[in-house]
Amino acid sequence: MFSPKRLARLKWACRRGMLELDVLFMPFVDEAFEQLDDEQQETFERLLTCDDPDLFAWFMGHQKCEDPELAEMVAIILNRVKV
């Protein structure tokens, strides 16, 4: 369970330098983050430490994420967007 302070930091980290990433992360953290299990929440937090060019490449399908946990989180976020 994330403390309110940690959740606020997480939301701040969702604000990226690329609009394409902002429109993925901001709604996800506001609407779906709480439904993730603890391990997935930790993985999402770790995902936000990655560089924007890597994130962009993964989410746009230009490159495959080599980390299986991060790749699964990318898929979770993308599947949510498609719904």
Side-chain angles (χ1 to χ4, degrees):
M1 184 77 171
F2 276 54
S3 70
K5 186 175 181 177
R6 189 173 176 192
L7 189 56
R9 270 191 252 123
L10 184 78
K11 287 182 179 185
W12 181 257
C14 287
R15 298 176 56 161
R16 310 304 290 200
M18 296 179 144
L19 178 62
E20 296 87 350
L21 297 176
D22 288 347
V23 298
L24 288 171
F25 292 151
M26 297 300 290
F28 182 81
V29 79
D30 287 337
E31 300 165 8
F33 182 75
E34 293 293 325
Q35 285 79 41
L36 299 175
D37 64 34
D38 291 343
E39 186 177 318
Q40 289 173 322
Q41 288 181 348
E42 296 284 338
T43 301
F44 181 74
E45 187 175 40
R46 191 163 60 91
L47 181 72
L48 295 178
T49 66
C50 297
D51 293 329
D52 284 359
D54 291 332
L55 292 169
F56 182 80
W58 298 338
F59 280 98
M60 297 302 131
H62 301 300
Q63 194 176 3
K64 184 177 185 258
C65 177
E66 298 300 322
D67 182 307
E69 290 177 347
L70 294 180
E72 180 184 353
M73 184 53 57
V74 168
I76 289 169
I77 294 168
L78 288 174
N79 285 335
R80 187 185 173 283
V81 171
K82 291 178 184 176
V83 173

